[in-house]
Amino acid sequence: MQEERRRRVPAMAPEDRRAALIEATVPLLHEHGLEISTKQIAASAGVAEGTIFGVFKDKNSLVIAALLQVLDPQPTLDGLAGIDPALPLRERLVVATDLIQQRFLVNARLMHAARHMAMTHDKETALRMMRGRQALEEALTAVIEPDGAALRRSPSATARLLLLFAGANTFGPFGDPENFDASEQVSMLLDGLLVRKHERNGEK
């Protein structure tokens, strides 16, 4: 009966098997980081363990492919590109920071895993990650540029500072995304922390 069921299941094209294995690997990476086995992946994908090696040369190749897919910056880039340039700078930055912060929060564990894999296994992966970071910085710079003349630092330097805030708030030991949300990070960037004289006097 088992052999009959197998004969009824149409063979998947290599591209489809690859996509299915990557899809099965992503949630395992979210849950376990790099400490996953090909046995777990095969069970999640509903295939024999040997199927993996018919598509990928080894487990690392599959893990890297899954990391690159889930960390693709394009959805965030699209969101940044969709911010209305007619909005005031502060509003644009809050929307942008929220997009970036959510990307970091959702993928924090996988970003750490990807950096580890890139540094220890795969130079091409490291280059792709670097290009993704550059694209994110460029997209955020474009959000800031309409008000560049109002800033003490260049739009690109301001973008890097905001990315630094968001990254430290997610990955740093003192980060607190609940208390330092997008609005708070933008306020620290644009206003600093010193209370103005009229604020100390209760004036508006």
Side-chain angles (χ1 to χ4, degrees):
M1 180 66 70
Q2 185 176 11
E3 291 181 359
E4 183 180 351
R5 284 199 300 269
R6 286 177 179 172
R7 285 196 297 270
R8 291 176 180 173
V9 177
M12 296 177 69
E15 298 81 8
D16 294 332
R17 286 201 299 272
R18 176 184 175 86
L21 288 167
I22 289 173
E23 184 179 356
T25 302
V26 168
L28 293 174
L29 287 171
H30 275 294
E31 184 176 357
H32 304 290
L34 297 179
E35 302 304 316
I36 57 175
S37 67
T38 52
K39 184 177 181 180
Q40 287 175 301
I41 296 169
S44 179
V47 300
E49 194 170 356
T51 301
I52 294 172
F53 304 106
V55 184
F56 295 92
K57 67 178 181 179
D58 52 31
K59 186 187 82 170
N60 282 344
S61 299
L62 170 54
V63 168
I64 288 171
L67 288 171
L68 288 174
Q69 176 169 297
V70 78
L71 295 178
D72 180 3
Q74 196 58 52
T76 305
L77 298 178
D78 292 342
L80 292 172
I83 296 174
D84 184 355
L87 290 173
L89 174 63
R90 189 179 300 269
E91 291 182 30
R92 297 200 311 273
L93 286 182
V94 169
V95 175
T97 303
D98 189 57
L99 286 169
I100 293 165
Q101 187 77 60
Q102 289 306 310
R103 170 181 168 79
F104 287 172
L105 286 171
V106 170
N107 296 312
R109 186 168 192 171
L110 298 191
M111 287 181 176
H112 175 76
R115 284 196 297 270
H116 174 79
M117 294 291 288
M119 288 187 295
T120 58
H121 295 289
D122 191 270
K123 290 183 179 179
E124 178 58 30
T125 300
L127 287 173
R128 288 184 63 176
M129 290 179 62
M130 182 178 68
R131 288 194 291 268
R133 289 195 297 270
Q134 290 174 340
L136 196 62
E137 180 183 323
E138 290 169 3
L140 183 54
T141 298
V143 172
I144 297 168
E145 279 178 338
D147 289 277
L151 300 168
R152 289 193 296 113
R153 301 297 300 270
S154 68
S156 60
T158 304
R160 286 194 295 274
L161 278 170
L162 194 51
L163 288 168
L164 178 64
F165 283 9
N169 197 38
T170 305
F171 304 112
F174 301 106
D176 187 354
E178 290 189 5
N179 287 324
F180 299 113
D181 61 9
S183 295
E184 182 70 16
Q185 290 177 67
V186 171
S187 176
M188 285 190 290
L189 180 70
L190 296 181
D191 306 323
L193 293 176
L194 288 175
V195 178
R196 295 178 177 84
K197 182 178 179 180
H198 70 271
E199 291 175 328
R200 287 198 301 269
N201 295 334
E203 301 172 12
K204 292 187 179 180

